[in-house]
Amino acid sequence: MIVNTVEYLEITAKKNPENIAFYDEDSQITFEQLRDTSKRVGSKIIQLLDGVRNVPVAILTDRNIKSIISYFGVLYSGNFYVPINKAFPVHRIKKILEILNPKIIIYLSDDDFDVIRKLDFEGKSINLNNALDTEIDEDRIRTTVEKMIDTDPMYAVFTSGSTGTPKCVLLSHRSVIDIVEQFSLIFDLTSETVFGNVAPLDYSGSTKDIYITIRNGGKAHIIPKSYFSFPKKLLQYLDINKINTLNTPVSALRILANYKAFDTVRPSSLSKFLFFGELMPVKMLNYFQYHYPDALFVNLYGSTEKTCLAYFIVNRHFTEKESLPIGVPFRNTNIILLNDQDQILENEDEIGEICIRGAFALGYYNDIQSSEKTFSRNPVNLQYQEKIFRTGDLGKFNSNGELILVSRMDSQVKHWGYRIELGEIEIAVNSIDFVDFAFCKFDAEKDKIVLFYQSGFEKDKELLVLLRNQFPQYMLPNQVIHYVKFPLKNNMKIDRIKIWEKYLKNLNTE
Amino acid sequence: MEKLIEILSSVRQDIDFLNENKLIDNGIIDSFDLIAIVGELNEFYNVNIGVAELNPENFNSAQAILKLIEELKK
């Protein structure tokens, strides 16, 4: 029985040492090389922390193999890694570090030291290139790995938080092993699987690409970022590298569908499409199925807190008016629907919150209060302590017993495949001195975040520059609308409905 | 040209589109920006920028984008 994800690498590196595991823009690495380089990094971390375990190690990531080496380096040291996109604004990285308070940050290239310098970081920063010169301390690595249990934290990911600060979701080895085993089995992923990695490496979606590849001794290509702007180049890349499996956010597939890219280049090896992040419109699915009538299409449903909960293998034709089910739970995961009285709903078409029993996240790091709300006691089990994960999504079962996603219970939205709390943007805008009041709405049809603000003067540009310093690109409002005075309702509250209707009307008259 | 700069600036207000000539090569605009820009261009100029036109050379500068639009308009 596998109890930690390091064992996957140990086993595969012994079995197929010289097989290539990962490719990036300018390098490649075998399983054996990955194991040995990671052990060097692990030995360095063990030295610096003097054997302390289960603490966070931050990594300034990029789309490259070095990121993966540093992930495994941290795992070999008995700690958990926290990928932080190095392109994030300094302000946001600082906020993240405040919550995390790591003793170590790893950076991957000499240039990235510029970022480190701006962070006023008091701990130790490690340049990966130097760490790779460390001699492997086999004894300490072995005793460290021996002590690991499957509920130890493995990695943490920051997502948007409604209280104005980013939220740190902490995942255990067990959650990853769970998903890797189920995926390999159900979707028949093997040593023949060649992933095209699309999801950012600082994002939970890519965990599958990395660890399924290592478990099965397959291959994964980390597709260079620049290719995503140019569908033709991207498809040629998939074709040349004989990529057969895409585990991808719907937002990336949308680009290919919008440009009808497959009409020009059709990579011949593609045979499996696993998509997640948001619901795929049937129209888009039909486009892919037209070009790949025999491929496997799987609608994955999950969240950062439980990488994947449920899946639907597309097994019938859908009309554009229907929506794809999110299907059935993975083995070792149970779904229960609870109404607002915390009662279980069992009848067809009854809508309730999707709640989970299974290997979900350990909680939100350094945030006991939100953790207790989201990972609460199972209200229908009074006999013993059992935790459930409340997803905040509303769902129902259809007549086939398949789960259908209905909506969100809060103001969390999915934009370009990222999950965003509109509240976090609102809090930031409302703290700007020239803004009287502001709120956000999500235009789902256009996939746009629209920000309305009241201020004596129009200052769209200043506003956006301030936000750009605080938020990653995907959290920035796509449209900013200024009011000198918001219309009010009788009770003197801001008439958001009227403002929104005006926005929609203006769109139509354009 | 003026109108084009205005459109480009509506997507990214912080970039000097008039003088920048390595928008793609230097990673100044990313894939999200590019999608937004192409959407705006298609709508405003009533053109259809397709896969064939989507290559780095056509989007490195406002000048190049303008040339592309003029060609598509023909």
Side-chain angles (χ1 to χ4, degrees), chain A residues 270-325:
Chain A
L270 277 181
S271 62
K272 288 173 186 168
F273 294 82
L274 315 173
F275 42 90
F276 57 89
E278 62 203 284
L279 205 56
M280 172 171 301
V282 170
K283 192 177 167 188
M284 211 164 113
L285 174 70
N286 289 345
Y287 174 75
F288 288 103
Q289 284 196 308
Y290 172 79
H291 285 280
Y292 291 93
D294 300 322
L296 172 77
F297 288 90
V298 185
N299 185 23
L300 296 169
Y301 165 65
S303 69
T304 312
E305 290 86 346
K306 169 87 177 77
T307 317
C308 284
L309 312 170
Y311 64 100
F312 175 70
I313 296 179
V314 179
N315 57 4
R316 56 183 191 267
H317 183 75
F318 287 86
T319 62
E320 287 182 18
K321 282 195 188 111
E322 293 173 282
S323 70
L324 278 185

Short mmCIF file of all heavy atoms in Angstrom, two decimals, chain A residues 270-325:
data_model
loop_
_atom_site.label_atom_id
_atom_site.label_comp_id
_atom_site.label_asym_id
_atom_site.label_seq_id
_atom_site.Cartn_x
_atom_site.Cartn_y
_atom_site.Cartn_z
N LEU A 270 -4.36 12.47 -30.12
CA LEU A 270 -5.29 12.78 -29.02
C LEU A 270 -6.42 11.76 -28.92
O LEU A 270 -7.11 11.49 -29.90
CB LEU A 270 -5.91 14.17 -29.23
CG LEU A 270 -5.11 15.38 -28.79
CD1 LEU A 270 -5.91 16.65 -29.06
CD2 LEU A 270 -4.77 15.28 -27.30
N SER A 271 -6.56 11.18 -27.73
CA SER A 271 -7.64 10.21 -27.58
C SER A 271 -8.40 10.35 -26.27
O SER A 271 -9.42 9.72 -26.07
CB SER A 271 -7.10 8.79 -27.71
OG SER A 271 -6.18 8.56 -26.68
N LYS A 272 -7.88 11.18 -25.35
CA LYS A 272 -8.58 11.38 -24.08
C LYS A 272 -8.63 12.85 -23.72
O LYS A 272 -7.61 13.52 -23.68
CB LYS A 272 -7.89 10.59 -22.96
CG LYS A 272 -8.12 9.10 -23.08
CD LYS A 272 -7.33 8.28 -22.11
CE LYS A 272 -7.56 6.80 -22.47
NZ LYS A 272 -6.65 5.91 -21.79
N PHE A 273 -9.83 13.31 -23.47
CA PHE A 273 -10.04 14.70 -23.04
C PHE A 273 -10.70 14.67 -21.66
O PHE A 273 -11.84 14.24 -21.53
CB PHE A 273 -10.98 15.45 -23.98
CG PHE A 273 -10.45 15.66 -25.36
CD1 PHE A 273 -10.52 14.67 -26.32
CD2 PHE A 273 -9.89 16.89 -25.72
CE1 PHE A 273 -10.03 14.87 -27.61
CE2 PHE A 273 -9.40 17.11 -27.01
CZ PHE A 273 -9.47 16.09 -27.95
N LEU A 274 -9.95 15.09 -20.64
CA LEU A 274 -10.52 15.20 -19.30
C LEU A 274 -10.60 16.69 -19.00
O LEU A 274 -9.58 17.37 -19.05
CB LEU A 274 -9.63 14.51 -18.28
CG LEU A 274 -9.09 13.12 -18.64
CD1 LEU A 274 -8.09 12.64 -17.61
CD2 LEU A 274 -10.23 12.13 -18.76
N PHE A 275 -11.78 17.19 -18.73
CA PHE A 275 -11.87 18.65 -18.55
C PHE A 275 -12.55 19.02 -17.24
O PHE A 275 -13.40 18.31 -16.73
CB PHE A 275 -12.54 19.32 -19.74
CG PHE A 275 -13.75 18.59 -20.27
CD1 PHE A 275 -15.01 18.86 -19.77
CD2 PHE A 275 -13.60 17.62 -21.25
CE1 PHE A 275 -16.12 18.18 -20.26
CE2 PHE A 275 -14.71 16.94 -21.74
CZ PHE A 275 -15.97 17.22 -21.24
N PHE A 276 -12.12 20.16 -16.70
CA PHE A 276 -12.57 20.58 -15.37
C PHE A 276 -12.53 22.10 -15.27
O PHE A 276 -12.15 22.78 -16.21
CB PHE A 276 -11.67 19.96 -14.29
CG PHE A 276 -10.20 20.31 -14.46
CD1 PHE A 276 -9.68 21.45 -13.87
CD2 PHE A 276 -9.36 19.51 -15.21
CE1 PHE A 276 -8.34 21.78 -14.02
CE2 PHE A 276 -8.02 19.83 -15.37
CZ PHE A 276 -7.51 20.97 -14.77
N GLY A 277 -12.91 22.59 -14.10
CA GLY A 277 -12.78 24.03 -13.85
C GLY A 277 -14.10 24.75 -13.96
O GLY A 277 -14.41 25.63 -13.17
N GLU A 278 -14.87 24.40 -14.94
CA GLU A 278 -16.21 24.96 -15.09
C GLU A 278 -16.98 24.01 -16.01
O GLU A 278 -16.40 23.09 -16.56
CB GLU A 278 -16.17 26.37 -15.67
CG GLU A 278 -15.57 26.42 -17.06
CD GLU A 278 -15.02 27.81 -17.39
OE1 GLU A 278 -15.83 28.69 -17.66
OE2 GLU A 278 -13.79 27.98 -17.38
N LEU A 279 -18.27 24.26 -16.13
CA LEU A 279 -19.09 23.35 -16.92
C LEU A 279 -18.84 23.59 -18.41
O LEU A 279 -18.89 24.72 -18.88
CB LEU A 279 -20.57 23.57 -16.58
CG LEU A 279 -21.47 22.37 -16.82
CD1 LEU A 279 -20.98 21.15 -16.06
CD2 LEU A 279 -22.89 22.71 -16.43
N MET A 280 -18.56 22.51 -19.15
CA MET A 280 -18.35 22.68 -20.58
C MET A 280 -19.69 22.81 -21.30
O MET A 280 -20.56 21.96 -21.15
CB MET A 280 -17.58 21.50 -21.16
CG MET A 280 -17.56 21.60 -22.66
SD MET A 280 -16.54 20.47 -23.58
CE MET A 280 -14.93 20.74 -23.03
N PRO A 281 -19.87 23.86 -22.09
CA PRO A 281 -21.11 23.99 -22.85
C PRO A 281 -21.21 22.86 -23.88
O PRO A 281 -20.19 22.46 -24.46
CB PRO A 281 -20.96 25.34 -23.56
CG PRO A 281 -19.83 26.04 -22.88
CD PRO A 281 -18.95 24.98 -22.31
N VAL A 282 -22.42 22.36 -24.09
CA VAL A 282 -22.60 21.23 -25.00
C VAL A 282 -22.15 21.57 -26.43
O VAL A 282 -21.56 20.75 -27.12
CB VAL A 282 -24.08 20.78 -24.97
CG1 VAL A 282 -24.36 19.78 -26.08
CG2 VAL A 282 -24.40 20.17 -23.62
N LYS A 283 -22.38 22.82 -26.81
CA LYS A 283 -21.99 23.24 -28.15
C LYS A 283 -20.49 23.02 -28.38
O LYS A 283 -20.04 22.56 -29.43
CB LYS A 283 -22.32 24.73 -28.30
CG LYS A 283 -22.25 25.25 -29.70
CD LYS A 283 -22.67 26.71 -29.73
CE LYS A 283 -22.29 27.32 -31.06
NZ LYS A 283 -22.50 28.76 -31.07
N MET A 284 -19.72 23.33 -27.35
CA MET A 284 -18.28 23.18 -27.43
C MET A 284 -17.91 21.69 -27.47
O MET A 284 -17.06 21.27 -28.25
CB MET A 284 -17.69 23.82 -26.18
CG MET A 284 -16.35 24.41 -26.34
SD MET A 284 -16.10 25.47 -24.91
CE MET A 284 -14.81 24.60 -24.13
N LEU A 285 -18.56 20.92 -26.63
CA LEU A 285 -18.31 19.48 -26.60
C LEU A 285 -18.57 18.88 -27.98
O LEU A 285 -17.78 18.07 -28.49
CB LEU A 285 -19.19 18.81 -25.56
CG LEU A 285 -19.12 17.29 -25.53
CD1 LEU A 285 -17.78 16.81 -24.99
CD2 LEU A 285 -20.25 16.69 -24.69
N ASN A 286 -19.66 19.30 -28.58
CA ASN A 286 -20.02 18.75 -29.90
C ASN A 286 -18.94 19.06 -30.94
O ASN A 286 -18.68 18.25 -31.83
CB ASN A 286 -21.38 19.29 -30.36
CG ASN A 286 -22.51 18.68 -29.54
OD1 ASN A 286 -22.33 17.68 -28.85
ND2 ASN A 286 -23.68 19.30 -29.61
N TYR A 287 -18.34 20.23 -30.81
CA TYR A 287 -17.26 20.58 -31.74
C TYR A 287 -16.09 19.61 -31.60
O TYR A 287 -15.55 19.11 -32.59
CB TYR A 287 -16.80 22.02 -31.49
CG TYR A 287 -15.59 22.40 -32.33
CD1 TYR A 287 -15.73 22.67 -33.69
CD2 TYR A 287 -14.32 22.45 -31.77
CE1 TYR A 287 -14.63 23.00 -34.48
CE2 TYR A 287 -13.21 22.77 -32.55
CZ TYR A 287 -13.36 23.04 -33.89
OH TYR A 287 -12.27 23.35 -34.65
N PHE A 288 -15.72 19.30 -30.36
CA PHE A 288 -14.61 18.38 -30.14
C PHE A 288 -14.97 16.96 -30.58
O PHE A 288 -14.17 16.26 -31.17
CB PHE A 288 -14.19 18.38 -28.66
CG PHE A 288 -13.49 19.64 -28.26
CD1 PHE A 288 -14.14 20.62 -27.54
CD2 PHE A 288 -12.18 19.85 -28.65
CE1 PHE A 288 -13.49 21.79 -27.21
CE2 PHE A 288 -11.53 21.02 -28.32
CZ PHE A 288 -12.19 22.00 -27.60
N GLN A 289 -16.20 16.58 -30.30
CA GLN A 289 -16.63 15.22 -30.67
C GLN A 289 -16.69 15.05 -32.18
O GLN A 289 -16.44 13.97 -32.70
CB GLN A 289 -17.98 14.91 -30.04
CG GLN A 289 -17.84 14.62 -28.55
CD GLN A 289 -19.07 13.95 -27.98
OE1 GLN A 289 -20.17 14.45 -28.17
NE2 GLN A 289 -18.88 12.84 -27.30
N TYR A 290 -17.01 16.13 -32.86
CA TYR A 290 -17.04 16.08 -34.33
C TYR A 290 -15.66 15.72 -34.87
O TYR A 290 -15.52 14.90 -35.78
CB TYR A 290 -17.52 17.43 -34.86
CG TYR A 290 -17.42 17.57 -36.36
CD1 TYR A 290 -18.37 17.00 -37.20
CD2 TYR A 290 -16.35 18.27 -36.92
CE1 TYR A 290 -18.26 17.11 -38.58
CE2 TYR A 290 -16.24 18.40 -38.30
CZ TYR A 290 -17.19 17.81 -39.13
OH TYR A 290 -17.07 17.92 -40.48
N HIS A 291 -14.61 16.33 -34.25
CA HIS A 291 -13.26 16.07 -34.73
C HIS A 291 -12.66 14.78 -34.16
O HIS A 291 -11.77 14.20 -34.75
CB HIS A 291 -12.33 17.25 -34.42
CG HIS A 291 -12.58 18.41 -35.35
ND1 HIS A 291 -12.07 18.46 -36.63
CD2 HIS A 291 -13.31 19.53 -35.19
CE1 HIS A 291 -12.46 19.57 -37.20
NE2 HIS A 291 -13.22 20.24 -36.36
N TYR A 292 -13.16 14.39 -32.99
CA TYR A 292 -12.64 13.18 -32.33
C TYR A 292 -13.81 12.27 -31.93
O TYR A 292 -14.10 12.12 -30.75
CB TYR A 292 -11.80 13.54 -31.11
CG TYR A 292 -10.50 14.22 -31.49
CD1 TYR A 292 -10.40 15.60 -31.55
CD2 TYR A 292 -9.38 13.45 -31.82
CE1 TYR A 292 -9.21 16.22 -31.92
CE2 TYR A 292 -8.19 14.07 -32.19
CZ TYR A 292 -8.11 15.45 -32.24
OH TYR A 292 -6.94 16.05 -32.61
N PRO A 293 -14.46 11.67 -32.93
CA PRO A 293 -15.67 10.88 -32.61
C PRO A 293 -15.38 9.68 -31.70
O PRO A 293 -16.26 9.24 -30.99
CB PRO A 293 -16.18 10.43 -33.99
CG PRO A 293 -15.07 10.66 -34.95
CD PRO A 293 -14.19 11.73 -34.38
N ASP A 294 -14.16 9.17 -31.71
CA ASP A 294 -13.88 7.96 -30.91
C ASP A 294 -13.17 8.24 -29.59
O ASP A 294 -12.84 7.32 -28.86
CB ASP A 294 -13.02 6.98 -31.73
CG ASP A 294 -13.72 6.57 -33.00
OD1 ASP A 294 -14.95 6.39 -32.94
OD2 ASP A 294 -13.05 6.47 -34.05
N ALA A 295 -12.91 9.51 -29.30
CA ALA A 295 -12.13 9.82 -28.09
C ALA A 295 -12.99 9.70 -26.83
O ALA A 295 -14.22 9.70 -26.89
CB ALA A 295 -11.57 11.23 -28.20
N LEU A 296 -12.29 9.60 -25.71
CA LEU A 296 -12.95 9.58 -24.41
C LEU A 296 -13.10 11.03 -23.92
O LEU A 296 -12.13 11.78 -23.88
CB LEU A 296 -12.09 8.79 -23.41
CG LEU A 296 -12.52 8.82 -21.95
CD1 LEU A 296 -13.70 7.88 -21.73
CD2 LEU A 296 -11.37 8.42 -21.03
N PHE A 297 -14.33 11.41 -23.59
CA PHE A 297 -14.57 12.75 -23.05
C PHE A 297 -15.11 12.62 -21.63
O PHE A 297 -16.10 11.92 -21.42
CB PHE A 297 -15.57 13.51 -23.91
CG PHE A 297 -15.00 13.93 -25.23
CD1 PHE A 297 -15.10 13.09 -26.34
CD2 PHE A 297 -14.36 15.14 -25.38
CE1 PHE A 297 -14.56 13.46 -27.56
CE2 PHE A 297 -13.82 15.51 -26.59
CZ PHE A 297 -13.91 14.68 -27.69
N VAL A 298 -14.43 13.26 -20.69
CA VAL A 298 -14.86 13.14 -19.30
C VAL A 298 -15.04 14.52 -18.70
O VAL A 298 -14.13 15.35 -18.73
CB VAL A 298 -13.83 12.36 -18.45
CG1 VAL A 298 -14.36 12.16 -17.04
CG2 VAL A 298 -13.47 11.04 -19.09
N ASN A 299 -16.23 14.75 -18.17
CA ASN A 299 -16.50 15.98 -17.45
C ASN A 299 -16.15 15.75 -15.98
O ASN A 299 -16.76 14.92 -15.31
CB ASN A 299 -17.99 16.32 -17.60
CG ASN A 299 -18.33 17.65 -16.96
OD1 ASN A 299 -17.46 18.51 -16.79
ND2 ASN A 299 -19.60 17.83 -16.61
N LEU A 300 -15.12 16.45 -15.50
CA LEU A 300 -14.68 16.27 -14.11
C LEU A 300 -15.26 17.38 -13.25
O LEU A 300 -15.32 18.53 -13.66
CB LEU A 300 -13.16 16.33 -14.03
CG LEU A 300 -12.39 15.24 -14.77
CD1 LEU A 300 -10.92 15.60 -14.82
CD2 LEU A 300 -12.60 13.89 -14.09
N TYR A 301 -15.66 16.99 -12.07
CA TYR A 301 -16.17 18.00 -11.15
C TYR A 301 -15.34 17.92 -9.87
O TYR A 301 -15.16 16.84 -9.31
CB TYR A 301 -17.65 17.74 -10.86
CG TYR A 301 -18.18 18.48 -9.67
CD1 TYR A 301 -18.25 19.88 -9.67
CD2 TYR A 301 -18.61 17.81 -8.54
CE1 TYR A 301 -18.72 20.57 -8.57
CE2 TYR A 301 -19.09 18.49 -7.42
CZ TYR A 301 -19.15 19.87 -7.45
OH TYR A 301 -19.62 20.56 -6.36
N GLY A 302 -14.84 19.05 -9.45
CA GLY A 302 -14.06 19.06 -8.22
C GLY A 302 -13.81 20.48 -7.78
O GLY A 302 -14.38 21.43 -8.32
N SER A 303 -12.95 20.62 -6.79
CA SER A 303 -12.58 21.96 -6.34
C SER A 303 -11.19 21.80 -5.74
O SER A 303 -10.70 20.69 -5.60
CB SER A 303 -13.57 22.46 -5.29
OG SER A 303 -13.40 21.70 -4.11
N THR A 304 -10.58 22.91 -5.38
CA THR A 304 -9.24 22.80 -4.81
C THR A 304 -9.27 21.92 -3.55
O THR A 304 -8.31 21.20 -3.27
CB THR A 304 -8.71 24.21 -4.46
OG1 THR A 304 -8.95 25.04 -5.59
CG2 THR A 304 -7.24 24.20 -4.18
N GLU A 305 -10.36 21.98 -2.82
CA GLU A 305 -10.45 21.23 -1.56
C GLU A 305 -10.54 19.72 -1.75
O GLU A 305 -10.28 18.95 -0.84
CB GLU A 305 -11.67 21.70 -0.75
CG GLU A 305 -11.55 23.10 -0.16
CD GLU A 305 -11.98 24.18 -1.13
OE1 GLU A 305 -12.11 23.88 -2.33
OE2 GLU A 305 -12.19 25.32 -0.68
N LYS A 306 -11.02 19.31 -2.93
CA LYS A 306 -11.07 17.88 -3.23
C LYS A 306 -10.91 17.81 -4.73
O LYS A 306 -11.88 17.99 -5.47
CB LYS A 306 -12.41 17.27 -2.77
CG LYS A 306 -12.67 15.85 -3.26
CD LYS A 306 -12.09 14.82 -2.31
CE LYS A 306 -12.41 13.39 -2.74
NZ LYS A 306 -11.59 12.90 -3.86
N THR A 307 -9.67 17.59 -5.14
CA THR A 307 -9.29 17.80 -6.55
C THR A 307 -10.37 17.30 -7.51
O THR A 307 -10.73 18.01 -8.42
CB THR A 307 -7.95 17.12 -6.84
OG1 THR A 307 -7.09 17.40 -5.76
CG2 THR A 307 -7.35 17.63 -8.12
N CYS A 308 -10.87 16.09 -7.29
CA CYS A 308 -12.00 15.64 -8.11
C CYS A 308 -12.97 14.86 -7.24
O CYS A 308 -12.56 14.03 -6.44
CB CYS A 308 -11.53 14.78 -9.27
SG CYS A 308 -10.81 15.75 -10.58
N LEU A 309 -14.24 15.17 -7.40
CA LEU A 309 -15.27 14.52 -6.61
C LEU A 309 -16.05 13.52 -7.45
O LEU A 309 -16.37 12.43 -7.03
CB LEU A 309 -16.30 15.53 -6.11
CG LEU A 309 -15.88 16.81 -5.45
CD1 LEU A 309 -17.09 17.70 -5.30
CD2 LEU A 309 -15.32 16.48 -4.11
N ALA A 310 -16.36 13.98 -8.64
CA ALA A 310 -17.29 13.21 -9.47
C ALA A 310 -16.88 13.34 -10.92
O ALA A 310 -16.12 14.24 -11.28
CB ALA A 310 -18.71 13.73 -9.27
N TYR A 311 -17.37 12.41 -11.73
CA TYR A 311 -17.02 12.46 -13.16
C TYR A 311 -18.19 11.97 -13.99
O TYR A 311 -19.03 11.21 -13.51
CB TYR A 311 -15.79 11.58 -13.43
CG TYR A 311 -16.02 10.10 -13.18
CD1 TYR A 311 -16.29 9.22 -14.23
CD2 TYR A 311 -15.99 9.58 -11.88
CE1 TYR A 311 -16.51 7.87 -14.00
CE2 TYR A 311 -16.21 8.24 -11.64
CZ TYR A 311 -16.47 7.39 -12.70
OH TYR A 311 -16.70 6.06 -12.46
N PHE A 312 -18.21 12.43 -15.21
CA PHE A 312 -19.23 11.97 -16.13
C PHE A 312 -18.54 11.62 -17.45
O PHE A 312 -17.93 12.48 -18.08
CB PHE A 312 -20.29 13.04 -16.36
CG PHE A 312 -21.30 12.65 -17.40
CD1 PHE A 312 -22.23 11.65 -17.13
CD2 PHE A 312 -21.31 13.26 -18.65
CE1 PHE A 312 -23.16 11.26 -18.10
CE2 PHE A 312 -22.22 12.87 -19.61
CZ PHE A 312 -23.15 11.87 -19.34
N ILE A 313 -18.59 10.35 -17.81
CA ILE A 313 -18.05 9.94 -19.10
C ILE A 313 -19.13 10.17 -20.14
O ILE A 313 -20.24 9.63 -20.01
CB ILE A 313 -17.64 8.45 -19.06
CG1 ILE A 313 -16.49 8.26 -18.06
CG2 ILE A 313 -17.23 7.96 -20.45
CD1 ILE A 313 -16.01 6.84 -17.90
N VAL A 314 -18.85 11.00 -21.12
CA VAL A 314 -19.88 11.34 -22.10
C VAL A 314 -20.25 10.08 -22.88
O VAL A 314 -19.42 9.49 -23.56
CB VAL A 314 -19.39 12.46 -23.04
CG1 VAL A 314 -20.46 12.79 -24.07
CG2 VAL A 314 -19.01 13.70 -22.24
N ASN A 315 -21.49 9.67 -22.69
CA ASN A 315 -21.91 8.38 -23.24
C ASN A 315 -23.12 8.48 -24.15
O ASN A 315 -23.68 7.50 -24.59
CB ASN A 315 -22.22 7.41 -22.09
CG ASN A 315 -23.29 7.97 -21.14
OD1 ASN A 315 -23.85 9.06 -21.39
ND2 ASN A 315 -23.58 7.27 -20.08
N ARG A 316 -23.59 9.70 -24.37
CA ARG A 316 -24.76 9.87 -25.22
C ARG A 316 -24.71 11.26 -25.83
O ARG A 316 -23.89 12.09 -25.43
CB ARG A 316 -26.04 9.67 -24.41
CG ARG A 316 -26.18 10.58 -23.19
CD ARG A 316 -27.45 10.24 -22.40
NE ARG A 316 -27.77 11.23 -21.39
CZ ARG A 316 -27.38 11.16 -20.11
NH1 ARG A 316 -26.63 10.14 -19.70
NH2 ARG A 316 -27.72 12.09 -19.25
N HIS A 317 -25.60 11.48 -26.78
CA HIS A 317 -25.60 12.78 -27.45
C HIS A 317 -26.40 13.80 -26.63
O HIS A 317 -27.44 13.47 -26.08
CB HIS A 317 -26.19 12.65 -28.85
CG HIS A 317 -26.15 13.94 -29.61
ND1 HIS A 317 -24.98 14.45 -30.14
CD2 HIS A 317 -27.11 14.85 -29.85
CE1 HIS A 317 -25.24 15.61 -30.70
NE2 HIS A 317 -26.52 15.88 -30.55
N PHE A 318 -25.89 15.00 -26.55
CA PHE A 318 -26.60 16.06 -25.84
C PHE A 318 -26.99 17.15 -26.83
O PHE A 318 -26.26 17.43 -27.78
CB PHE A 318 -25.72 16.67 -24.75
CG PHE A 318 -25.54 15.76 -23.57
CD1 PHE A 318 -24.54 14.80 -23.56
CD2 PHE A 318 -26.40 15.85 -22.48
CE1 PHE A 318 -24.39 13.95 -22.48
CE2 PHE A 318 -26.26 15.00 -21.40
CZ PHE A 318 -25.25 14.05 -21.39
N THR A 319 -28.17 17.75 -26.60
CA THR A 319 -28.54 18.90 -27.44
C THR A 319 -28.03 20.16 -26.74
O THR A 319 -27.73 20.14 -25.54
CB THR A 319 -30.08 19.01 -27.57
OG1 THR A 319 -30.61 19.23 -26.27
CG2 THR A 319 -30.67 17.75 -28.17
N GLU A 320 -27.95 21.23 -27.51
CA GLU A 320 -27.36 22.46 -26.97
C GLU A 320 -28.18 23.03 -25.81
O GLU A 320 -27.69 23.87 -25.06
CB GLU A 320 -27.16 23.47 -28.08
CG GLU A 320 -26.01 23.05 -28.98
CD GLU A 320 -25.70 24.04 -30.09
OE1 GLU A 320 -26.12 25.20 -29.99
OE2 GLU A 320 -25.04 23.62 -31.06
N LYS A 321 -29.42 22.60 -25.70
CA LYS A 321 -30.26 23.12 -24.60
C LYS A 321 -29.97 22.40 -23.28
O LYS A 321 -30.27 22.90 -22.20
CB LYS A 321 -31.74 22.96 -24.95
CG LYS A 321 -32.22 24.02 -25.92
CD LYS A 321 -33.75 24.07 -25.95
CE LYS A 321 -34.20 25.00 -27.06
NZ LYS A 321 -34.84 24.28 -28.16
N GLU A 322 -29.39 21.21 -23.37
CA GLU A 322 -29.13 20.44 -22.15
C GLU A 322 -27.81 20.88 -21.53
O GLU A 322 -26.97 21.49 -22.19
CB GLU A 322 -29.02 18.94 -22.48
CG GLU A 322 -30.31 18.32 -22.96
CD GLU A 322 -30.07 16.88 -23.43
OE1 GLU A 322 -29.56 16.70 -24.55
OE2 GLU A 322 -30.37 15.97 -22.66
N SER A 323 -27.63 20.55 -20.24
CA SER A 323 -26.29 20.77 -19.68
C SER A 323 -25.70 19.43 -19.26
O SER A 323 -26.42 18.51 -18.88
CB SER A 323 -26.35 21.77 -18.52
OG SER A 323 -26.97 21.19 -17.42
N LEU A 324 -24.38 19.35 -19.37
CA LEU A 324 -23.70 18.09 -19.06
C LEU A 324 -23.84 17.78 -17.57
O LEU A 324 -23.62 18.66 -16.74
CB LEU A 324 -22.21 18.22 -19.36
CG LEU A 324 -21.73 18.05 -20.78
CD1 LEU A 324 -20.22 18.10 -20.81
CD2 LEU A 324 -22.22 16.74 -21.36
N PRO A 325 -24.15 16.55 -17.23
CA PRO A 325 -24.18 16.17 -15.81
C PRO A 325 -22.76 16.17 -15.26
O PRO A 325 -21.79 16.09 -16.02
CB PRO A 325 -24.73 14.74 -15.82
CG PRO A 325 -25.24 14.49 -17.20
CD PRO A 325 -24.52 15.42 -18.11
#
